[in-house]
Amino acid sequence: MRRYLEELCIDPPQVLASPLGVEAVSLGAVRHALDHADRDLFDFHAAPSH
């Protein structure tokens, strides 16, 4: 991955292994679902003024 990014980027980002290991995808999916639920349940918008 580092070599690929070095070919594409002038200043490539640092690439490191995640400490989450094989659980990274599952935890990311759960976090995404929780963020979605939080937005749907608690993101109140101001009522339009008429």
Side-chain angles (χ1 to χ4, degrees):
M1 180 58 86
R2 287 181 186 141
R3 279 183 264 157
Y4 180 72
L5 288 172
E6 288 171 357
E7 292 175 13
L8 295 175
C9 303
I10 293 172
D11 186 20
Q14 186 177 13
V15 177
L16 301 171
S18 170
L20 299 175
V22 297
E23 296 177 350
V25 173
S26 300
L27 292 172
V30 170
R31 179 73 260 162
H32 182 69
L34 290 171
D35 289 345
H36 182 74
D38 186 52
R39 253 189 329 271
D40 284 356
L41 295 173
F42 304 111
D43 190 14
F44 301 108
H45 298 286
S49 57
H50 288 27

